[in-house]
Amino acid sequence: MSTEDQIIHKIKGEIGEDHLHDASNYRGECDDLYYPPDTESFARLLSALYAEGKKITIAGARTGLTGGCVPEGGALISTDRMNRIGPFDRERETVTCGPGVLLADLQEHLRQHGYFFPADPTETLCTIGGVVANNSSGARSYKYGSARGFVTAAEVVFAVGARLRLQRGDVIEQGGYFSFEADGKPFRLPAPMLKMPSTKNAAGYYFKPGCDLLDLLVGSEGTLCVFTEVTLKVLPLPERLLSCVAFFESVEGALGFVSKSRRHGVTETRSHGDTETRSLEAVRALEFFDGNSLGFLRDDFPKVPEGKAAAVWFEVEATNENFDEVVIEWAGRLEVVGVPLEEVWMPVDPAGVEEIRKFRHAVSWKVSEYIKQKGLRKLGTDTAVPIEAFDDYYRWAIAMVREAGIKYVAYGHFGDCHLHLNMLPKDNTEYVTGKGIYLELCRKAVELGGTVSAEHGIGKLKKEYLKLMYGEEGIGEMRKVKRYLDPKNLLNTGNLFD
């Protein structure tokens, strides 16, 4: 057996610090670190560790914000070496890849074929395994929804080491169960009878009557299985892209523009699995930045003017034929709401569009760096509420943080009514105060019919908020699924619930 075929094993003392924390600055420890090269060795390793009774944590690029990939003892398995991108299938518009493939590498591979993968999390150095395990979404979710709808097939390994190849449509929930065979063993997996919010949501297990087993497994944060190979539906790159940042004198003006833009072009929907996406003519990204966010970014992006209360970034897909028409249309919409065009950042070249994307992604990175320097954990909401309640929810949330005297930046996917309100405590005292505010923000989101986590998931850091959302009965429904597939509770222990 060559070195390339062997599992690499490191023991405590040989394990680098980088493997023991994620982007939230949550830290842990482990006894062993393994790097399997393929599904066969992964399944064999998982089975052996499970038989030994060892806690097992799976990690990709560790870019998460909830501690989900951070080990709390036991063994850590890295997917870094499982990074093969398979052939692009132009006829089916799919690509198959390993869980260790970086999203940035996949997008570059697809770009060479004129395609892209719609899920667009802020951190492009995340892995595909992480994207699927956490049902990631990002800025383009306004049009395309989350990753779940683009997973067409997968190979998964359950905690006991059993392997299953699964095509969308193979296993459908019937009568409260998913029935299938893995490695010749029959499974009758109970479905979690949950009532999920109508908003964008990444909190806990997914369930709708008659849903696909793939939809339950995607977003289960590694608690039910490990994805060792994934086939993704991909889409042709748009011929042209209008990307624009409009700056507003008031927050109310920005909120009003977002509200009007939500209604533009939404004339039909297209289904991807169990998610719906808006029509091809609709805006694909619709994001908000408050004045504090703009101040955070101004030094690095001189196009950000001084004294503005808020900004809205939007992207619209276009063709070569209608691009000029789209630009004129949106310029007119901005003029109607009183935004001077000379203050609008609207590049028409690819380099300018890329600069705006860097602007969009920079704010999250800046917040993470601030928190890391303070030696604290990230304290940023991931809440979403129904559209009719969102503007008032935003005003109420900002008022709470201001009243507490804690610095903050607020931004998010406002097209999806999804708020990232990041508190920036100066010390541990303010952090504790901020934690109390965070709880109230989550409680309010649930009261309004929303979610405590629209895209980042629950991991180890937000378990109390998941309980707030689903109650003991809902958590019990998730536990029965977990117990069936992982009776020893060893796989990614501590994620979602204890």
Side-chain angles (χ1 to χ4, degrees), residues 188-331:
R188 193 166 184 261
L189 176 66
M193 297 301 172
L194 301 168
K195 182 181 179 181
M196 300 190 306
S198 60
T199 62
K200 178 181 178 182
N201 180 44
Y205 295 161
Y206 178 96
F207 177 74
K208 286 184 180 178
C211 72
D212 197 293
L213 177 59
L214 269 176
D215 293 324
L216 170 63
L217 300 180
V218 172
S220 60
E221 300 194 37
T223 61
L224 300 182
C225 69
V226 182
F227 289 87
T228 55
E229 187 176 86
V230 184
T231 300
L232 302 170
K233 175 71 175 177
V234 296
L235 301 176
L237 284 166
E239 292 180 359
R240 298 291 297 274
L241 191 65
L242 171 63
S243 186
C244 176
V245 181
F247 300 97
F248 290 80
E249 299 291 342
S250 70
V251 168
E252 294 303 317
L255 292 177
F257 181 75
V258 169
S259 181
K260 291 177 181 177
S261 298
R262 284 195 197 105
R263 297 193 293 270
H264 175 60
V266 185
T267 57
E268 60 177 305
T269 58
R270 180 172 62 180
S271 176
H272 291 286
D274 272 344
T275 63
E276 285 190 337
T277 64
R278 293 165 175 84
S279 71
L280 288 175
E281 289 73 35
V283 180
R284 82 172 188 177
L286 187 56
E287 312 260 305
F288 171 93
F289 302 84
D290 76 342
N292 294 338
S293 298
L294 298 180
F296 234 43
L297 295 169
R298 189 172 293 110
D299 287 346
D300 295 324
F301 297 91
K303 287 186 173 67
V304 177
E306 301 248 5
K308 298 298 181 180
V312 175
W313 167 58
F314 59 89
E315 277 191 344
V316 184
E317 294 177 353
T319 64
N320 290 324
E321 183 178 352
N322 73 357
F323 182 74
D324 290 345
E325 180 183 343
V326 169
V327 171
I328 292 170
E329 177 185 351
W330 282 93

Side-chain angles (χ1 to χ4, degrees), residues 127-142:
T127 63
I128 294 302
V131 167
V132 173
N134 293 286
N135 189 35
S136 300
S137 50
R140 292 194 288 255
S141 65
Y142 180 65

Side-chain angles (χ1 to χ4, degrees), residues 24-45:
S24 72
N25 210 28
Y26 181 67
R27 296 178 181 273
E29 55 87 24
C30 66
D31 301 317
D32 300 272
L33 170 60
Y34 298 91
Y35 297 87
D38 52 37
T39 298
E40 183 177 350
S41 60
F42 188 102
R44 190 169 63 248
L45 172 64

Side-chain angles (χ1 to χ4, degrees), residues 373-412:
Q373 289 171 9
K374 294 291 183 180
L376 302 171
R377 292 180 190 165
K378 196 167 186 179
L379 199 56
T381 68
D382 190 32
T383 51
V385 301
I387 188 170
E388 64 273 10
F390 180 71
D391 286 4
D392 285 341
Y393 175 74
Y394 171 78
R395 297 182 190 103
W396 174 81
I398 295 299
M400 281 197 72
V401 180
R402 283 180 174 170
E403 186 176 340
I406 300 175
K407 290 183 178 179
Y408 68 92
V409 296
Y411 57 95

Side-chain angles (χ1 to χ4, degrees), residues 71-90:
E72 294 181 331
L76 178 65
I77 304 179
S78 169
T79 61
D80 283 359
R81 296 176 68 202
M82 302 172 70
N83 60 358
R84 178 179 175 272
I85 301 177
F88 170 65
D89 188 328
R90 186 175 295 275

